[in-house]
Amino acid sequence: MSSTSTSAAAPVTSSRWQQYYQLTKPRVVQLIVFCAVIGMALAVPGLPEGREWLTALAATAGIWLVAGAAAAFNCLIEQQIDAKMKRTAWRATAKGELSRAQTLTFSALLCAIGSAMLWFWVNPLTMWLTFATFVGYAVIYTVILKPMTPQNIVIGGASGAMPPVLGWAAMRGDVGSEAMLMCLIIFLWTPPHFWALALYRTEDYRKAGLPMLPVTHGGEFTRLQIVLYTWILLAATLLPFLTGMSGWIYLVAAIVLGLRFCHYAWRLWKQYSDQLARQTFLFSIWHLSLLFAALLVDHYVQPWIS
């Protein structure tokens, strides 16, 4: 998830503050935090009460800051790569508008503040899990996996799948099976989501020298992998219902959204176009957002109708 980019357009950065803000990849972080909040909500029966609200707010802010720090560190490490790609050449680091020292200081500050908030106002487990996610994305994925293997997004997707676990741990102080189910869903969602983007940005990745799957194995193989992953993802999204974690409201949403994603993947395999790849990528974002929203609605509504 954390490698997602929801827009190829270059935003206009008219101030230094906006440049720093864009380093945090706000659209990506919003989806990360949203999934973490769903994890928080599902961790407690009913609405949070009393101090639980303060814990949830502190956890949300802390996770947001550490995720933003990881994104900024990613921009620092990929400064030269970003400068070669149309999708990322607008970033302040790629254009040289922010120095490496400024970016590193900004990232470290966000990570330190966010980690402190999680340690003192939430619990140490959430802090360590969130910090591990930072290391997984900013170091293991960005520095090691991304330039070395076409399976980078598959392996590195584990860190991007962690937000629901972080949210759950914040409210419960443990890592429950329900949280791991949500983590599994995001883990399986990440490859078809990212590969749809990589298909219509293949030349960008080739110029940057990154071994993304469409570059190393070609478009047809990548499209087949997207088809396979969407069907596996559909099966995984049924697990919350099958294990009793959710009810019929979620099940209907999971089936409808999953079949729609599979339909996009099938069309992409048989009738490829850059426009369809872009549509598939954008739908994948809606798929995950609406799927987790359905989990939330089901959590609160199902007890009233069962």
Side-chain angles (χ1 to χ4, degrees):
M1 180 184 304
S2 49
S3 57
T4 306
S5 173
T6 57
S7 174
V12 177
T13 53
S14 59
S15 73
R16 182 69 78 198
W17 287 111
Q18 287 177 315
Q19 290 173 348
Y20 279 120
Y21 176 65
Q22 292 300 332
L23 285 186
T24 66
K25 303 182 181 179
R27 294 183 179 180
V28 176
V29 171
Q30 285 169 12
L31 186 56
I32 290 171
V33 173
F34 173 71
C35 292
V37 169
I38 300 300
M40 295 178 208
L42 269 61
V44 295
L47 292 171
E49 297 180 357
R51 185 172 174 77
E52 288 178 338
W53 280 110
L54 296 178
T55 300
L57 289 173
T60 300
I63 292 169
W64 198 309
L65 288 170
V66 177
F73 192 81
N74 172 269
C75 292
L76 171 66
I77 297 299
E78 298 193 334
Q79 180 180 10
Q80 299 303 319
I81 293 174
D82 286 346
K84 299 175 183 178
M85 300 177 65
K86 293 180 181 178
R87 185 172 65 89
T88 55
W90 58 268
R91 289 175 180 163
T93 44
K95 294 168 67 175
E97 296 172 345
L98 288 174
S99 70
R100 297 180 67 84
Q102 288 173 316
T103 306
L104 181 60
T105 301
F106 177 66
S107 175
L109 187 62
L110 289 187
C111 187
I113 295 173
S115 296
M117 292 180 68
L118 295 173
W119 179 276
F120 291 109
W121 295 342
V122 184
N123 58 60
L125 175 62
T126 305
M127 190 283 291
W128 284 117
L129 288 173
T130 306
F131 183 72
T133 301
F134 173 95
V135 174
Y137 172 64
V139 180
I140 296 175
Y141 168 71
T142 302
V143 178
I144 301 174
L145 294 174
K146 193 171 182 179
M148 288 183 60
T149 171
Q151 292 298 310
N152 46 29
I153 198 62
V154 177
I155 305 169
S159 61
M162 285 296 289
V165 178
L166 306 181
W168 184 280
M171 304 304 290
R172 296 277 286 264
D174 60 25
V175 177
S177 58
E178 297 92 336
M180 295 309 298
L181 272 183
M182 291 184 280
C183 179
L184 174 65
I185 289 171
I186 300 177
F187 178 76
L188 294 172
W189 167 87
T190 301
H193 159 75
F194 189 85
W195 286 333
L197 167 69
L199 280 170
Y200 68 89
R201 293 293 181 184
T202 300
E203 288 307 311
D204 259 0
Y205 287 116
R206 182 175 285 112
K207 290 177 182 177
L210 293 174
M212 295 303 173
L213 197 63
V215 175
T216 60
H217 289 68
E220 184 175 357
F221 180 82
T222 303
R223 299 197 304 273
L224 176 59
Q225 295 302 302
I226 291 175
V227 171
L228 296 175
Y229 263 92
T230 51
W231 281 103
I232 295 172
L233 173 63
L234 174 58
T237 60
L238 303 182
L239 291 176
F241 175 79
L242 295 176
T243 59
M245 174 182 167
S246 63
W248 290 99
I249 295 174
Y250 168 78
L251 178 64
V252 171
I255 292 174
V256 171
L257 291 168
L259 289 177
R260 183 61 173 160
F261 200 179
C262 290
H263 179 63
Y264 266 108
W266 182 262
R267 290 177 57 206
L268 197 63
W269 186 34
K270 293 296 185 179
Q271 310 166 16
Y272 179 79
S273 70
D274 284 353
Q275 181 181 5
L276 182 56
R278 186 178 288 106
Q279 291 172 354
T280 304
F281 169 73
L282 293 174
F283 175 78
S284 70
I285 299 171
W286 280 107
H287 173 273
L288 187 66
S289 301
L290 293 175
L291 187 74
F292 273 68
L295 267 177
L296 182 64
V297 171
D298 188 280
H299 178 66
Y300 290 119
V301 174
Q302 190 65 34
W304 292 91
I305 61 178
S306 60

